Amino acid sequence: MFNSLKRALAILFVGLIASNLLLQSCAQMASPPGGKKDTLAPKIVSSSPLHKSKNFKGKKIELSFNEYITVRNLNQELLITPNVGTYETKLRPTGLSLLLDSALKENTTYTFNFRNAIEDMSERNIGKNIKLVFSTSENIDSLSIQGKVKSLQLNKAVENVLVALYPYTDTLRIDKTKPYYFTKTDTSGLYVLENIAAGKYYMAAFQDLNNNLLYNSSKEPVDFITDSFLDLKKSEKQDFAIALQNQDPLKIAKTTSTAKTVLYDFSRGIKEFSLEKDPKLNLAYQIENNRSLRFYAQQLEKKDTLFVTAILKDSINRPYKIPLKIKFRELATKEKASKSTLPVTVLPAAGKYLSPEDSLLILLPKPVIGWDSKRIQFVTGPDEFILLPDEAYAWNNVSNTLRIDKAYLPIREKFDLSIAKGAFVGIESDTSEAYKQNYQFQDLEQYGIMEGGIKGATGRFIFQLILTTNGQIAYEQASTGRFSFPHVEPGTYTVRVIHDKNENGYWDIGNFMTKTKPEPIYYLPGKIKLKANFQLTDLWISPE
């Protein structure tokens, strides 16, 4: 009897384990083995309210689908216009509900666009065109605005750009007010704003990087209409070309003082810098890393505090006058004054052929207070060298870059640049080491020629050849309507033209607060592949 009971208990134990495993297997939602892969996206089978229904007064939105679903990034993907405020989300295996915190507005058409938020459970197929439109009145608003958004500077479509529509007021600021209607561009830069009520609106497009529906000029490229408002009475088409319009003022971000120098780091890049003239003050200074100013102590008394006014032009060409208080730290007792060598860099860099368009640039890391042109030689053969006249050399305004004009370079296929030790003396009495670099002029048949212009437009233009491999400007030229680049290296280029309307020599970014557009930029359609010893002389751009 004991053995029979033992066998019965063993059978019961095995049965319980098998049942448990079977239940776990049944609880897992998985595709059955074999058969065709599910490629169909989930579809709405019912909703409350119904799509395009009228007189809806509730606060709960419900959708049911034809299969098990999952939801991805609902807060980012779901676009609700006009805004309904906050809501609570509840998920079901085949659906979801949104419970609104506040009542819907009267006489309003609402659009709930789920974009890429809904996926099926098994294969993650994304639901397409999952959208719910309904009205709280007898009418469904039916006007629409559609178009395309591209980057003005890159001439490429931009995805996920916020296209915003605001009820018009004469004090509207897109950096202070959230839009009433909005949508985002798809991968082709296309957008559609639908179910809009007739009325007066202002319109803009910007990259809403922090998803707060407010424009941030320091980080987010933008475009906008220049009219006071758009009087929407019928469906419209509106394209945008966005570009960064940083309106934040230039500020000092950090100050670092040592016994030798004072360094000011700024919030944005610096293009130009000078000091208001003071005959009693002889300060040495330079721009570093395109966004910092360094002042050198030289023989100044460390206990003195100097008050100067800096005249600056920032990276977007805006002028400033900024007062500076310069105070050098006194050398601590344990600190010892040290000297270092002054490194030399020459451009074009080693290994690069010289073109007939190239001058040589000798770059020093700090201002130079003395130099000897006789220590700079061009070696053209055994026991043969050339010394250039003083007019061949030109220093920049802070004496840390020496330019050797192309017209004075040796007329030889090959030569060596030789800089003797001690040719340059830096602001801190450090001297340069010896330097040597080989140069060779490129065979002219290895270049191509690119010529053309802009059709039917007058004024001043800046023509640019942009390498498609790295997006860098390879060649640039300013003229009234035609361009000619006679020595272009083989490669694939994009031709870009800036309309320099105010003829100041650079591209102006515009101002969203004054509704001033950036200066126009035009492109030659397609990419131009240039081969060695080829001439492309009919490259004409049509302004759009």
Side-chain angles (χ1 to χ4, degrees):
M1 182 176 178
F2 178 78
N3 289 334
S4 299
L5 180 62
K6 188 176 180 180
R7 282 196 302 271
L9 288 173
I11 292 169
L12 179 62
F13 180 73
V14 172
L16 288 171
I17 292 175
S19 299
N20 187 47
L21 291 173
L22 181 61
L23 287 171
Q24 288 183 9
S25 176
C26 291
Q28 293 176 356
M29 289 185 290
S31 300
K36 293 183 179 180
K37 183 178 178 180
D38 178 13
T39 60
L40 299 177
K43 294 181 180 180
I44 296 176
V45 293
S46 65
S47 68
S48 175
L50 294 173
H51 183 53
K52 293 193 175 180
S53 63
K54 302 172 184 177
N55 295 312
F56 180 73
K57 306 299 182 183
K59 294 174 65 176
K60 188 175 184 181
I61 312 297
E62 292 188 282
L63 289 89
S64 296
F65 295 87
N66 62 340
E67 58 181 317
Y68 289 118
I69 64 157
T70 183
V71 176
R72 182 184 64 174
N73 299 328
L74 187 66
N75 289 337
Q76 285 75 41
E77 292 293 338
L78 175 58
L79 303 182
I80 305 174
T81 56
N83 193 0
V84 297
T86 57
Y87 54 86
E88 180 184 349
T89 305
K90 291 186 177 180
L91 297 179
R92 308 187 309 277
T94 59
L96 78 159
S97 304
L98 305 177
L99 183 61
L100 309 181
D101 285 350
S102 56
L104 298 171
K105 297 177 183 178
E106 295 290 331
N107 302 315
T108 303
T109 297
Y110 285 91
T111 300
F112 285 65
N113 187 347
F114 288 84
R115 300 200 302 160
N116 297 319
I118 308 299
E119 300 176 336
D120 67 28
M121 181 70 76
S122 58
E123 298 293 343
R124 296 294 191 267
N125 296 310
I126 298 173
K128 298 177 181 178
N129 300 317
I130 296 178
K131 186 184 297 184
L132 186 62
V133 177
F134 59 87
S135 173
T136 58
S137 71
E138 290 285 348
N139 300 304
I140 297 279
D141 296 322
S142 59
L143 298 182
S144 66
I145 304 174
Q146 60 180 310
K148 186 172 184 177
V149 180
K150 69 175 183 179
S151 165
L152 179 62
Q153 291 170 288
L154 300 178
N155 198 35
K156 293 181 179 178
V158 188
E159 181 185 4
N160 213 34
V161 173
L162 185 81
V163 182
L165 203 62
Y166 307 81
Y168 168 71
T169 67
D170 58 2
T171 59
L172 174 70
R173 287 270 301 266
I174 62 176
D175 58 339
K176 306 290 184 183
T177 306
K178 293 183 178 182
Y180 192 71
Y181 297 101
F182 62 91
T183 189
K184 292 188 178 181
T185 56
D186 63 14
T187 55
S188 299
L190 301 174
Y191 77 90
V192 181
L193 276 168
E194 296 179 296
N195 303 109
I196 307 170
K200 292 182 178 179
Y201 298 97
Y202 187 69
M203 196 171 184
F206 57 91
Q207 282 188 316
D208 188 20
L209 299 178
N210 57 4
N211 291 309
N212 68 348
L213 301 180
L214 296 173
Y215 169 58
N216 181 346
S217 73
S218 66
K219 298 178 181 179
E220 299 173 348
V222 67
D223 193 15
F224 41 81
I225 63 172
T226 54
D227 294 331
S228 297
F229 57 83
L230 172 66
D231 192 1
L232 192 65
K233 298 177 180 177
K234 58 182 180 62
S235 294
E236 301 271 359
K237 185 176 184 299
Q238 181 70 54
D239 293 335
F240 293 97
I242 60 173
L244 194 63
Q245 292 192 3
N246 192 339
Q247 304 298 320
D248 290 357
L250 185 70
K251 296 178 181 178
I252 297 173
K254 182 181 178 183
T255 304
T256 306
S257 298
T258 70
K260 292 183 176 182
T261 69
V262 174
L263 181 69
Y264 292 95
D265 294 312
F266 285 85
S267 59
R268 191 161 55 246
I270 302 167
K271 277 189 175 179
E272 297 177 12
F273 169 72
S274 63
L275 292 179
E276 281 194 342
K277 297 297 182 182
D278 185 340
K280 297 177 291 183
L281 191 62
N282 182 26
L283 267 176
Y285 53 83
Q286 67 179 9
I287 299 174
E288 293 184 1
N289 301 319
N290 296 321
R291 64 184 307 147
S292 302
L293 292 178
R294 187 180 296 277
F295 292 89
Y296 291 87
Q298 294 177 275
Q299 306 304 318
L300 293 170
E301 290 287 337
K302 304 299 185 297
K303 62 182 180 182
D304 292 339
T305 300
L306 306 175
F307 296 91
V308 300
T309 300
I311 303 172
L312 300 163
K313 184 175 285 186
D314 68 9
S315 58
I316 52 177
N317 302 300
R318 291 187 174 157
Y320 292 89
K321 281 190 176 184
I322 299 179
L324 301 176
K325 183 172 72 171
I326 302 173
K327 174 69 175 177
F328 297 97
R329 179 172 60 81
E330 292 194 38
L331 194 68
T333 307
K334 295 182 180 179
E335 287 184 289
K336 293 182 179 180
S338 60
K339 288 186 179 181
S340 59
T341 57
L342 190 67
V344 173
T345 304
V346 181
L347 297 177
K352 187 179 185 305
Y353 282 106
L354 280 178
S355 120
E357 309 296 325
D358 287 332
S359 295
L360 297 187
L361 293 178
I362 301 176
L363 311 178
L364 291 308
K366 61 187 70 173
V368 167
I369 58 173
W371 71 294
D372 184 355
S373 63
K374 293 183 176 58
R375 292 175 182 249
I376 303 175
Q377 298 179 353
F378 291 88
V379 181
T380 54
D383 301 319
E384 178 183 290
F385 66 88
I386 296 172
L387 294 176
L388 300 183
D390 288 345
E391 55 266 27
Y393 300 98
W395 285 97
N396 67 346
N397 65 333
V398 294
S399 300
N400 63 4
T401 301
L402 181 63
R403 181 175 179 270
I404 306 175
D405 191 88
K406 61 187 177 183
Y408 291 90
L409 296 181
I411 306 174
R412 301 284 196 280
E413 182 184 350
K414 298 180 180 180
F415 62 84
D416 293 341
L417 170 64
S418 178
I419 302 175
K421 182 177 181 179
F424 303 101
V425 180
I427 193 72
E428 296 174 310
S429 298
D430 38 357
T431 56
S432 60
E433 293 290 332
Y435 181 92
K436 188 173 183 179
Q437 188 164 309
N438 310 114
Y439 281 106
Q440 181 176 346
F441 278 103
Q442 178 69 278
D443 184 346
L444 293 181
E445 291 189 357
Q446 296 302 310
Y447 294 108
I449 297 173
M450 294 179 69
E451 295 179 346
I454 190 159
K455 293 181 179 178
T458 58
R460 192 82 175 168
F461 299 89
I462 300 170
F463 296 93
Q464 298 172 333
L465 300 186
I466 301 171
L467 267 172
T468 59
T469 52
N470 58 16
Q472 299 297 311
I473 300 171
Y475 303 90
E476 184 174 279
Q477 185 180 104
S479 74
T480 55
R482 293 184 62 92
F483 68 86
S484 177
F485 295 102
H487 302 104
V488 180
E489 291 187 359
T492 304
Y493 296 90
T494 299
V495 183
R496 183 169 69 186
V497 186
I498 298 170
H499 191 172
D500 187 14
K501 288 186 173 183
N502 56 7
E503 301 187 5
N504 59 3
Y506 50 78
W507 177 65
D508 289 292
I509 65 168
N511 188 331
F512 79 97
M513 289 187 288
T514 61
K515 298 179 182 175
T516 303
K517 291 268 194 178
E519 288 183 323
I521 299 179
Y522 310 117
Y523 296 83
L524 186 72
K527 298 173 183 177
I528 304 299
K529 187 172 183 179
L530 182 69
K531 297 181 180 179
N533 208 26
F534 267 54
Q535 283 186 292
L536 301 175
T537 58
D538 196 26
L539 304 176
W540 290 93
I541 299 100
S542 297
E544 296 177 358

